[in-house]
Amino acid sequence: MTSLETLDDISAIRWPQPHFPEDDQTPPAELRTELDAAWSSQKAFMQRLRAAAADHGPDYDPLLVALEDLVAIKNAADEQIRLLLAYGRVYVTPRPHTLETLGQAAGLTPSGVSRAFGAKEILAVGNLTGQRPAAVEINDHHPDLFPGDDSRRRCTWGGSKNNPCTDEPKYAVTDKSGTKWACCDSHLPGYLRSRPRA
């Protein structure tokens, strides 16, 4: 059976109480708010660990569960970082962020930024935001041009994740990053508007 001391230790590591030096000039009300927030998070985490320990019996290991919880949070954060890098590099106009500035913000080298995302992330950003990057080329649609199923069977240049375009694709649109999108007749004007002006 997991001891309460072990649960307390894990909780203290996972949700540490903020430390304020003696000469800290933060107003007392703000200090109290930070302490209360940390304590509330720690208390909720402890309650969740205790309930899970009671449900799962002697085989339950709260340390492993806490690690799995943090890994899931880290993986989600890494995915969002990749999406933001794709957005900053491909979608921001008229001048995208440089590899250097994105790398400084993300703790990556410029080459690390360029390797951090690809067509999957660029398409995902388009789905999430409903935006499309500047397009540079158009060709006839052919399913073999696309690695993902969506662009093989429907228009992905139009619509978004919550409101996808279901029209038959007629064209293969290539954006400035080299990512290919499927485009239907009704969304072709959107492609033409997005093209960089000569």
Side-chain angles (χ1 to χ4, degrees), residues 55-130:
D55 289 344
H56 293 87
D59 293 332
Y60 176 77
D61 190 328
L63 174 61
L64 299 181
V65 171
L67 286 169
E68 290 169 356
D69 183 48
L70 286 172
V71 168
I73 292 169
K74 180 179 181 293
N75 289 341
D78 286 343
E79 173 66 13
Q80 290 183 339
I81 288 169
R82 289 193 293 272
L83 296 178
L84 287 172
L85 290 173
Y87 179 79
R89 188 70 181 143
V90 178
Y91 286 80
V92 171
T93 57
R95 299 177 66 177
H97 289 277
T98 65
L99 295 174
E100 289 76 13
T101 57
L102 290 171
Q104 288 173 358
L108 297 169
T109 63
S111 61
V113 172
S114 65
R115 291 192 305 268
F117 67 89
K120 175 186 170 186
E121 287 76 21
I122 293 168
L123 292 166
V125 170
N127 275 334
L128 291 168
T129 65

Side-chain angles (χ1 to χ4, degrees), residues 123-142:
L123 292 166
V125 170
N127 275 334
L128 291 168
T129 65
Q131 303 296 319
R132 296 295 180 261
V136 294
E137 185 181 349
I138 185 168
N139 293 290
D140 290 335
H141 181 274
H142 192 283

Side-chain angles (χ1 to χ4, degrees), residues 11-197:
S11 180
I13 294 168
R14 177 68 180 84
W15 296 102
Q17 294 292 310
H19 171 73
F20 304 103
E22 292 183 9
D23 59 349
D24 194 297
Q25 300 299 312
T26 305
E30 290 183 27
L31 296 177
R32 175 49 50 196
T33 298
E34 286 190 45
L35 288 168
D36 288 346
W39 171 244
S40 295
S41 298
Q42 192 178 80
K43 183 178 177 183
F45 184 70
M46 279 288 292
Q47 288 173 340
R48 188 159 58 94
L49 287 181
R50 286 177 179 167
D55 289 344
H56 293 87
D59 293 332
Y60 176 77
D61 190 328
L63 174 61
L64 299 181
V65 171
L67 286 169
E68 290 169 356
D69 183 48
L70 286 172
V71 168
I73 292 169
K74 180 179 181 293
N75 289 341
D78 286 343
E79 173 66 13
Q80 290 183 339
I81 288 169
R82 289 193 293 272
L83 296 178
L84 287 172
L85 290 173
Y87 179 79
R89 188 70 181 143
V90 178
Y91 286 80
V92 171
T93 57
R95 299 177 66 177
H97 289 277
T98 65
L99 295 174
E100 289 76 13
T101 57
L102 290 171
Q104 288 173 358
L108 297 169
T109 63
S111 61
V113 172
S114 65
R115 291 192 305 268
F117 67 89
K120 175 186 170 186
E121 287 76 21
I122 293 168
L123 292 166
V125 170
N127 275 334
L128 291 168
T129 65
Q131 303 296 319
R132 296 295 180 261
V136 294
E137 185 181 349
I138 185 168
N139 293 290
D140 290 335
H141 181 274
H142 192 283
D144 292 343
L145 295 173
F146 304 96
D149 287 339
D150 283 349
S151 290
R152 292 182 180 192
R153 55 185 170 76
R154 69 171 180 84
C155 170
T156 51
W157 185 255
S160 65
K161 183 177 183 180
N162 295 328
N163 187 27
C165 176
T166 57
D167 291 352
E168 179 185 356
K170 299 287 184 68
Y171 312 100
V173 171
T174 304
D175 68 32
K176 62 183 180 180
S177 74
T179 302
K180 292 189 182 300
W181 306 71
C183 184
C184 64
D185 280 329
S186 62
H187 284 108
L188 185 61
Y191 155 78
L192 296 172
R193 284 194 301 272
S194 78
R195 294 192 70 180
R197 300 295 183 262

